[in-house]
Amino acid sequence: IDNLKTLSSEAKRRASETTQAQIKAIDKTLQAEERAYNAKISLLDKEKAARLSASDDQANNQVGALQTLIDSIDKETDTEELALTRATEAERLVNLKSLIGSAKTAKDKAEAQKDYDEYSTEVTRNELLRRRDAEKDVLRERIEAVRANAESNRELLETEYREKKALLDQEHIDLVAKLELDNTRLDEALGWQLKRYDQDVAAFDESLRLKFMSLEKFIEQYNEALSR
């Protein structure tokens, strides 16, 4: 009996050690999976940040280039406006001085020609300004298109990021659930195995007890027969 109990205890110890080793291995796998998952998420975050930064930089560079063109047009216009203003002022001063020193009226034809020339110059100038405004409007539309495209790219990157992260999250959840289920099953299997060992020992003890009782009864009956 003692040998059987010793063997049973040894078997239970070996089974427990084996199961614990398996559980420990699963725990290590879980820890490794957590590290791998975190590394993947970190890499995904860095990739997303880099791509968003590159997209923003590209859009900002394009917008900056277009804005530079607009600024150049504005500067050119301002320079010309200043020159025209000064020329007009100088011309008026000359005219005023000429009128002071002259006592005669200019001829109607000369006045009409002058009026025509001034108006023609004004019309030409206004047309130039309208053309430049139209050019700026086109550039502004291009800026809006660049910004819209950048926003579209950002939304696309965000969508790709969410999809990739969701996939990684689900893979991580599934693997962790499987490993935890394996742990639970190993624990349950070990419990049933240890219980079976105890049941075997108890059954053997009961069998021996019944045999001893039968033997004692036989000896008792044999002794009674001898004493007659």
Side-chain angles (χ1 to χ4, degrees):
I1 296 176
D2 291 338
N3 288 338
L4 178 62
K5 290 183 176 181
T6 300
L7 290 174
S8 176
S9 177
E10 180 64 20
K12 289 166 66 177
R13 184 186 65 79
R14 286 197 302 268
S16 179
E17 288 178 352
T18 300
T19 301
Q20 291 303 319
Q22 292 173 328
I23 291 175
K24 187 176 181 180
I26 291 176
D27 288 339
K28 288 183 177 179
T29 302
L30 273 171
Q31 294 172 4
E33 165 59 19
E34 287 290 343
R35 290 192 296 270
Y37 168 76
N38 291 333
K40 289 177 183 178
I41 294 300
S42 177
L43 182 62
L44 187 61
D45 288 340
K46 290 178 180 178
E47 177 188 359
K48 171 192 171 185
R51 292 178 66 185
L52 287 175
S53 178
S55 178
D56 290 342
D57 288 343
Q58 182 181 14
N60 289 335
N61 289 336
Q62 292 175 344
V63 169
L66 295 173
Q67 186 60 52
T68 297
L69 291 176
I70 292 177
D71 293 342
S72 177
I73 292 174
D74 286 340
K75 184 176 180 180
E76 185 179 0
T77 300
D78 291 342
T79 300
E80 292 175 354
E81 287 289 351
L82 179 60
L84 286 173
T85 299
R86 287 176 174 173
T88 300
E89 290 174 348
E91 183 180 2
R92 186 175 182 185
L93 288 173
V94 170
N95 291 335
L96 289 174
K97 187 175 182 180
S98 175
L99 290 174
I100 293 174
S102 175
K104 294 181 179 181
T105 304
K107 295 181 180 181
D108 292 341
K109 184 178 179 181
E111 290 180 352
Q113 184 65 45
K114 180 182 178 182
D115 290 342
Y116 174 82
D117 290 341
E118 289 178 350
Y119 184 70
S120 178
T121 301
E122 182 180 349
V123 169
T124 301
R125 177 61 183 167
N126 289 338
E127 183 62 25
L128 175 62
L129 294 178
R130 285 192 289 269
R131 186 171 68 250
R132 286 176 176 172
D133 285 340
E135 290 175 359
K136 291 196 295 184
D137 289 340
V138 171
L139 291 173
R140 291 190 181 96
E141 290 176 359
R142 289 174 61 186
I143 287 177
E144 291 304 316
V146 169
R147 287 173 174 164
N149 184 63
E151 182 61 27
S152 178
N153 288 337
R154 175 178 286 275
E155 292 176 358
L156 178 62
L157 289 173
E158 290 285 357
T159 299
E160 290 179 359
Y161 171 80
R162 287 193 296 270
E163 290 175 351
K164 289 180 180 179
K165 188 174 185 300
L167 180 61
L168 289 175
D169 287 344
Q170 191 58 51
E171 290 176 350
H172 176 67
I173 291 172
D174 291 344
L175 180 56
V176 169
K178 179 182 180 301
L179 292 173
E180 290 178 346
L181 180 60
D182 290 343
N183 257 348
T184 301
R185 287 175 175 173
L186 284 171
D187 278 335
E188 291 176 351
L190 176 62
W192 282 108
Q193 192 172 7
L194 297 179
K195 183 178 180 180
R196 188 181 64 193
Y197 286 148
D198 291 338
Q199 289 174 344
D200 290 344
V201 171
F204 185 75
D205 285 345
E206 180 63 16
S207 175
L208 286 179
R209 187 182 68 79
L210 293 175
K211 289 180 180 180
F212 276 124
M213 289 179 61
S214 177
L215 180 60
E216 288 176 351
K217 186 174 182 180
F218 172 78
I219 293 174
E220 180 181 350
Q221 291 175 349
Y222 177 76
N223 290 332
E224 289 178 356
L226 288 178
S227 62
R228 291 177 182 174

